[in-house]
Amino acid sequence: MNSAQVDAYLRRLGAEHPAWPTVDALRALHLRHLRAVPFENLSIHLGEEIVLEEKRLLDKVVGARRGGFCYELNGSFGALLAALGYDVALLAARVYGEEGRLGVPYDHLALRVRTVDGGDWLADVGFGAHSHLPLAFGDRGEQKDPGGTFRIVEAGPDAAGVRGGHGTVEAADLDVFRDGRAQYRLETRPRVLGDFVAGAWWHSTSSQSHFTRSLVCSRVTEEGGRITLSGRRLTATAADGTREERELEADEEILGVYRERFGIELDKVPTLRNPA
């Protein structure tokens, strides 16, 4: 990423160029990203190609002022952080689904970020409702966050009885909990963006993927709540958890919400690729 691209990305976030890659700067960038760049899967339903290459991600997130899902959001954010001097590793995770079942390999992409002053942090701007601020990677106790109470713990054996990350070199897999519920199982081995192509393809095409069966566009609000457009249902959740929901009828109203609340300009309303 060159300096012009870095400057454009920071303008997208409404952020100043940090003087040093510190934890405080990381916290500010993380929160600004969640507020400015929506978590959305609209490309899947608009027939747009999803390409996991840095330039294509920047063209979408920065140039077109769109959002994306985990591979796109954390992929682009990781590139920005690396360009700002952070030590960034892409980590693969499997998301916990119904009855505690783990999803497919490369189900999710998250970031391990090392700062000059504060150790290692789990940064994740691509999981929808999650922590608003980075989590301390090595902390095994409860971590309070505006998005909930989080814990990162060493994972036990999976359904096949295998405990990931064995031996003296590689650390154990980690389970990330939010408010007592397991969110995803994180591998600690660094990956490259191309490793996630198969996971992104599966989530973009499989009828078993929740991304092909639902429409979502969501971001954190400046007040600490969340606004979400799921198909035609608009949900505003306040920081205290109170919710207001309403159904949008006219296509013009839906396009207006995308534009005014998420900064996304569309010429047509997305329709489900795989309606139930």
Side-chain angles (χ1 to χ4, degrees), residues 4-78:
Q5 291 171 319
V6 170
D7 290 344
Y9 206 139
L10 292 173
R11 286 195 299 272
R12 170 85 166 99
L13 304 183
E16 298 292 329
H17 196 297
W20 294 98
T22 63
V23 63
D24 285 345
L26 174 62
R27 288 173 181 269
L29 290 168
H30 195 278
L31 184 56
R32 283 184 178 275
H33 207 289
L34 291 171
R35 290 173 174 172
V37 185
F39 177 85
E40 49 107 332
N41 66 342
L42 305 182
S43 288
I44 294 171
H45 305 283
L46 291 169
E48 299 171 348
E49 186 180 20
I50 295 172
V51 181
L52 298 189
E53 296 173 358
E54 183 177 300
K55 182 182 182 302
R56 294 289 293 270
L57 296 183
L58 295 176
D59 286 345
K60 181 178 181 180
V61 172
V62 180
R65 301 186 70 82
R66 284 281 302 277
F69 57 174
C70 68
Y71 312 103
E72 301 168 289
L73 298 183
N74 284 324
S76 59
F77 189 46

Side-chain angles (χ1 to χ4, degrees), residues 178-200:
R178 174 178 179 245
D179 295 334
R181 181 175 179 180
Q183 301 296 291
Y184 53 77
R185 177 162 294 188
L186 190 70
E187 297 180 5
T188 56
R189 172 185 172 183
R191 302 290 183 175
V192 297
L193 192 57
D195 291 337
F196 295 88
V197 168

Side-chain angles (χ1 to χ4, degrees), residues 116-127:
V116 295
D117 63 341
D120 289 356
W121 300 86
L122 175 61
D124 193 343
V125 296
F127 196 67

Side-chain angles (χ1 to χ4, degrees), residues 51-255:
V51 181
L52 298 189
E53 296 173 358
E54 183 177 300
K55 182 182 182 302
R56 294 289 293 270
L57 296 183
L58 295 176
D59 286 345
K60 181 178 181 180
V61 172
V62 180
R65 301 186 70 82
R66 284 281 302 277
F69 57 174
C70 68
Y71 312 103
E72 301 168 289
L73 298 183
N74 284 324
S76 59
F77 189 46
L80 172 66
L81 294 176
L84 293 173
Y86 291 95
D87 180 344
V88 179
L90 309 186
L91 303 182
R94 298 172 68 188
V95 178
Y96 279 96
E98 296 179 1
E99 300 178 358
R101 291 192 298 268
L102 287 167
V104 299
Y106 299 99
D107 202 12
H108 181 59
L109 188 163
L111 305 172
R112 191 273 294 146
V113 182
R114 183 165 295 157
T115 67
V116 295
D117 63 341
D120 289 356
W121 300 86
L122 175 61
D124 193 343
V125 296
F127 196 67
H130 198 58
S131 67
H132 292 194
L133 301 170
L135 302 174
F137 202 87
D139 189 338
R140 298 293 174 257
E142 289 189 347
Q143 301 189 49
K144 301 291 185 180
D145 180 89
T149 300
F150 291 82
R151 288 189 69 207
I152 303 173
V153 301
E154 288 195 3
D158 63 15
V162 176
R163 183 183 178 88
H166 52 81
T168 59
V169 177
E170 192 177 355
D173 291 349
L174 301 172
D175 279 340
V176 179
F177 287 80
R178 174 178 179 245
D179 295 334
R181 181 175 179 180
Q183 301 296 291
Y184 53 77
R185 177 162 294 188
L186 190 70
E187 297 180 5
T188 56
R189 172 185 172 183
R191 302 290 183 175
V192 297
L193 192 57
D195 291 337
F196 295 88
V197 168
W201 175 82
W202 188 87
H203 275 301
S204 302
T205 61
S206 174
S207 61
Q208 298 180 53
S209 167
H210 64 92
F211 287 115
T212 65
R213 293 183 279 111
S214 64
L215 277 161
V216 64
C217 186
S218 182
R219 69 171 180 86
V220 172
T221 65
E222 288 70 16
E223 298 77 25
R226 176 171 290 277
I227 184 168
T228 302
L229 181 57
S230 301
R232 292 178 175 270
R233 176 171 294 178
L234 180 64
T235 303
T237 306
D240 64 2
T242 58
R243 294 160 59 99
E244 294 183 2
E245 296 184 6
R246 64 187 180 96
E247 293 290 326
L248 307 181
E249 300 295 336
D251 285 1
E252 291 77 10
E253 187 178 15
I254 295 172
L255 294 175

